[in-house]
Amino acid sequence: ALPLDAAAVIQADLDRSGRFRSLPRASMIEKPTTAAAVDAADWRLLKVDYVVVGRLLPLPDGRLDMQFELVNALTGQRLLGLALPSDRGGLRMAAHRAADAIHEKILGIRGAFATRIAYVAVAGTAPTRTFSLVVADADGETPRTVARSQQPIMSPAWSPDGQRLAYVSFEGGFSAVYVQTLRTGERVKVSSRAGINGAPAWSPDGTRLALTLSKRDGNADVYVLELATQQLQQLTDDPAIDTEPAWAADGQSVLFTSDRAGAPQVYRLALGGSDRPKRVTFEGSYNARPRLSPDGKQIAVVTIDRGAYRIGVVDLATGALRVLTNGRLDESPSYAPNGAMLIYATREGRTGVLAAVSSDGTVQQRIAAPAGEVREPVWSPYLN
């Protein structure tokens, strides 16, 4: 008795990417388990381009060996063959890795199915609500609560190595930024200064956090915190609200949201220079929560489109804005590490749910999540 249907996991991953359309099992004329047994001509009759076959074999130590092969049905050529040993508890992740390998072999783009997501789940109603920080597979399965509080938890952010999460918690009635190591559960309070402590974002080298802090007058600005020394560097100093920082991949500049022009827009500030922040978004009356794509060519934002908050992407070369979603209250976009998809929070009725959209907007889908309000999802980097 196997713990899950590994083939179904691989199939669901590939379907969810929007780049593949799988053949229903009921329509399959045969079910080979090795590439040598694949009759390519038969599959061509079904208008199938590729066939994935595989089997699970027991290993002497009690683990399972997932062996799979990819066959080009047009030529009959075996394109890929791998074996992924796994214990029973790791079989789902092995299936995700198999889907990653297939995705990369066919499309030339590394898959992101074996990554993880984090989000905040809210259960109950005030004043007895419970806030949980949850980590799950990229498809929303196998959720695990890593922090829980009766006070709000918000703004989770993955470290570049995928081993830690920074987040804001209001334990004790005041905001503070924590860094938690997922493997051990150990967490450290890294910022609990008077006023606002919010919106942490890791530098690409994992040594610093950009975050939002407020002075005595309560005005919010963007700072950089050196984690090893607790040294602070103030990046912005403006009467406007400057918040939601995000690092460029080279660590040489920071994007952030500011209402200094009268409404929230995205600005970029080069570090180590004397230049003032430069506005990045001009199309639309509201653009906030910037997240840079892995290739650095565009940013995802929350924008107002026809009176609704939706997810859009801005081409940094041209400034053009393209709206990807069609919800009424879509928020918190986060790119997959390969840039092919974005996860975000949206609403179904009065309930916050997880959703994903392809970076070109052609594929939209719900993602599995536990019951209750779901907020602020963030996609992990690659884990190896």
Side-chain angles (χ1 to χ4, degrees):
L2 296 172
L4 84 162
D5 185 336
V9 174
I10 296 171
Q11 180 177 339
D13 281 347
L14 296 175
D15 283 345
R16 197 171 61 256
S17 73
R19 303 293 185 257
F20 300 92
R21 185 174 62 250
S22 61
L23 188 70
R25 288 187 183 182
S27 301
M28 295 181 183
I29 55 177
E30 56 188 4
K31 295 181 181 179
T33 59
T34 64
V38 173
D39 188 330
D42 286 347
W43 294 99
R44 287 197 296 271
L45 292 174
L46 296 174
K47 294 182 170 55
V48 167
D49 298 317
Y50 299 93
V51 180
V52 178
V53 294
R55 49 189 179 166
L56 290 167
L57 301 176
L59 293 171
D61 60 5
R63 294 184 302 160
L64 296 168
D65 195 26
M66 180 187 292
Q67 299 180 2
F68 69 96
E69 298 170 282
L70 172 66
V71 178
N72 185 330
L74 302 180
T75 65
Q77 180 185 8
R78 178 182 182 269
L79 301 179
L80 180 67
L82 290 174
L84 299 174
S86 167
D87 59 30
R88 287 175 174 262
L91 190 57
R92 176 177 290 277
M93 186 55 66
H96 289 321
R97 294 188 184 280
D100 282 345
I102 295 162
H103 186 283
E104 184 170 11
K105 189 64 179 180
I106 295 176
L107 300 179
I109 301 170
R110 185 178 179 183
F113 308 116
T115 55
R116 293 179 291 180
I117 59 174
Y119 56 87
V120 176
V122 185
T125 57
T128 59
R129 291 183 301 177
T130 299
F131 297 81
S132 300
L133 179 59
V134 179
V135 172
D137 289 356
D139 59 358
E141 298 293 340
T142 64
R144 177 170 64 95
T145 297
V146 298
R148 183 179 283 114
S149 175
Q150 300 301 311
Q151 302 300 322
I153 295 174
M154 56 186 17
S155 304
W158 288 95
S159 63
D161 61 4
Q163 303 303 310
R164 294 172 291 171
L165 281 170
Y167 59 93
V168 176
S169 177
F170 280 77
E171 298 165 41
F174 301 96
S175 64
V177 176
Y178 292 83
V179 170
Q180 182 164 334
T181 302
L182 295 179
R183 184 178 61 83
T184 64
E186 178 188 6
R187 66 176 192 156
V188 178
K189 185 188 296 184
V190 298
S191 181
S192 57
R193 293 158 176 85
I196 297 170
N197 295 266
W202 292 86
S203 64
D205 63 3
T207 64
R208 295 169 290 170
L209 287 176
L211 67 167
T212 301
L213 301 175
S214 62
K215 298 178 179 178
R216 293 181 180 178
D217 61 3
N219 187 65
D221 281 297
V222 176
Y223 291 73
V224 169
L225 172 66
E226 189 81 30
L227 290 172
T229 64
Q230 281 287 301
Q231 182 177 352
L232 270 178
Q233 175 189 3
Q234 185 171 354
L235 297 188
T236 67
D237 187 6
D238 193 277
I241 297 174
D242 296 336
T243 186
E244 300 175 336
W247 292 82
D250 61 4
Q252 299 303 306
S253 62
V254 170
L255 296 157
F256 63 95
T257 304
S258 178
D259 63 355
R260 61 185 62 196
Q265 296 291 343
V266 178
Y267 292 76
R268 183 197 291 266
L269 177 64
L271 304 185
S274 57
D275 292 342
R276 292 185 56 79
K278 296 180 180 178
R279 185 168 166 177
V280 172
T281 55
F282 292 89
E283 189 176 334
S285 61
Y286 179 104
N287 294 287
R289 191 64 177 259
R291 292 297 179 261
L292 197 68
S293 64
D295 63 8
K297 295 181 179 180
Q298 61 185 21
I299 56 171
V301 296
V302 178
T303 190
I304 294 181
D305 173 55
R306 290 167 290 175
Y309 289 91
R310 292 175 175 152
I311 307 303
V313 292
V314 177
D315 186 299
L316 290 176
T318 66
L321 169 68
R322 185 171 76 255
V323 177
L324 302 183
T325 65
N326 54 14
R328 300 297 302 173
L329 190 58
D330 302 336
E331 60 183 9
S332 303
S334 177
Y335 276 100
N338 63 3
M341 302 285 292
L342 294 105
I343 192 173
Y344 63 98
T346 187
R347 301 192 73 81
E348 286 189 352
R350 296 183 178 182
T351 303
V353 298
L354 294 179
V357 61
S358 59
S359 56
D360 60 6
T362 59
V363 178
Q364 298 188 38
Q365 60 208 226
R366 277 281 310 274
I367 293 179
E373 190 86 10
V374 177
R375 304 174 181 174
E376 299 192 86
V378 58
W379 212 314
S380 81
Y382 286 117
L383 302 179
N384 55 22

